[in-house]
Each structure stands twice: as structure tokens, then as C-alpha cells.
Amino acid sequence: MDLSGLLATCWGLGVPVIHLRVYPLKAKSMHAMIVRDEGRHAVLLLKDSRYPAPAAFWLAHEIGHAAKGHLKDGEAIADVFEPSKPGEEDAEETEADRFALAALTGTPDPNIVTNVDRYTATSLAAAVLTEGPRHRIEPGTLALCLAYKTSRWATANAALRHIYSSEGDVWRYVNSIAEGELDWSELSEDSADYLREVMALSNA
């Protein structure tokens, strides 16, 4: 599944997903968060991405928190996606990671190997563009899965430039979908204005 599929699934299940453009300074380092209120969840993406694959993983990870019952009413989980050190793994974060990998690749523990020990961003991009569709995995996601397994994040991130024909602000795509899915008539004028402000819809 890719970012488009995840967004369609979330909105279809009544889980709003928006990309905040205005948020407290202390949230600057966060990638995403999920909140639960009265039994319903909402996902807030915070970190900018020029390509869909990173945002797809952040979103799938947050969905994992909801699916695994990690939140009680009135709770929120905010995530900063940084590689954990041995012995510092958090059980719930690991569970959400595995859920995300399963949603994106079909398995919580994808067995991804290369036929060469040394590869460049260009050769990695060429490989995932070929193998991704064969395994029904979005190519950018496949590159990041390899980085997740090998810790070669710099190479995988550089490969994204060759995987996608163009780059853009993912937040604009996420919020354009949200704008069409939200029932603005149910919001007060002040609430609607505030939501449009934090989503930067007037500037999109």
C-alpha cells in the first residue's frame, strides 16, 4: 500500500489525517502524532517530506498505535522517528513499526537482500523501480525498508530523488484530500477558520 491508499483507508474508516503547518515550537522535532477522543482517532502529520514514502511510513506507524490499542480516550502519542540504540527499543513503538511494515509491504519483517555489497543511490533506485512493482511494494518504500534493515539511510534517501519523477510538498497533497473529506458545515465559523489556518489551506 502507498500513501494514497493509506489516506483513502483512513478517511474511509472515519480517521481524519491532516498535515499541520502551524504548531508549537516544542513540536518542531516531531514527525507525527495520533490522538484519541471519545473512541475516535485522528492523525496529525508534522514533519515535511518531499516524497511520499517517508510520510507513508509515519502515517502507517500512527495507524499501528490505534490498531494495537495503545491509546486510551484523551491520550495522544507523538513520535520522533530516529533509530533506537540497542536496549532502548520501546515495545509499543516496535509493535507500531511492525504494523507499518506489514501495511506497506505485506509482512512485518520483510526479507530484503541485495545481490551486491556496495550500491549507490542510483543503482538502488533502479533496483527498487524494477523489484517494487513485482512485489507490490511502492519503490520508495522498498528503498526505505532496506535502509531500515541496513541503516544506510543516506543512500536510501538520496535514491528517492531518482525514484520519483518529481518532488513536491507532500503536505499539500495530504491537506488537499483533507479539505475535500472534512464536513466543513459541521464546524463553527471560528473552528473552520482555525483549521484552515493550521492546514495553510488559504496559501495552498
Side-chain angles (χ1 to χ4, degrees):
M1 188 177 294
D2 59 9
L3 180 60
S4 296
L6 286 172
L7 288 169
T9 299
C10 285
W11 283 103
L13 293 174
V15 179
V17 180
I18 66 172
H19 201 304
L20 294 185
R21 308 308 302 155
V22 179
Y23 40 88
L25 184 61
K26 64 181 180 180
K28 285 289 186 180
S29 62
M30 296 178 189
H31 289 66
M33 67 185 299
I34 185 166
V35 298
R36 175 175 169 172
D37 183 54
E38 297 184 356
R40 299 189 63 182
H41 295 85
V43 177
L44 309 175
L45 300 177
L46 297 110
K47 187 174 178 62
D48 286 341
S49 175
R50 305 292 289 176
Y51 306 104
F57 180 81
W58 304 334
L59 175 54
H61 178 97
E62 301 309 317
I63 297 170
H65 282 307
K68 297 300 181 178
H70 294 166
L71 296 92
K72 297 178 181 178
D73 265 351
E75 289 186 340
I77 296 176
D79 287 304
V80 178
F81 294 96
E82 295 178 348
S84 58
K85 297 178 181 178
E88 292 185 355
E89 295 87 355
D90 179 278
E92 289 190 351
E93 293 303 316
T94 298
E95 196 171 29
D97 274 351
R98 290 176 61 81
F99 180 95
L101 290 171
L104 296 170
T105 71
T107 173
D109 188 21
N111 182 26
I112 301 172
V113 296
T114 63
N115 58 6
V116 294
D117 293 328
R118 298 177 63 84
Y119 52 86
T120 64
T122 303
S123 62
L124 175 59
V128 298
L129 284 169
T130 298
E131 296 298 323
R134 288 179 55 190
H135 297 281
R136 296 187 176 183
I137 302 175
E138 195 272 326
T141 294
L142 185 56
L144 294 183
C145 284
L146 181 62
Y148 184 83
K149 183 175 182 179
T150 64
S151 296
R152 293 191 61 181
W153 291 103
T155 302
N157 285 325
L160 296 180
R161 295 198 299 269
H162 304 284
I163 293 170
Y164 299 102
S165 58
S166 62
E167 62 179 52
D169 294 318
V170 172
W171 73 265
R172 294 181 185 274
Y173 174 66
V174 172
N175 285 351
S176 68
I177 292 177
E179 184 176 21
E181 292 286 348
L182 288 167
D183 187 350
W184 297 94
S185 66
E186 292 294 316
L187 301 176
S188 68
E189 184 175 350
D190 286 345
S191 294
D193 287 345
Y194 175 77
L195 192 54
R196 288 183 179 278
E197 181 68 24
V198 298
M199 293 171 65
L201 291 179
S202 59
N203 299 319

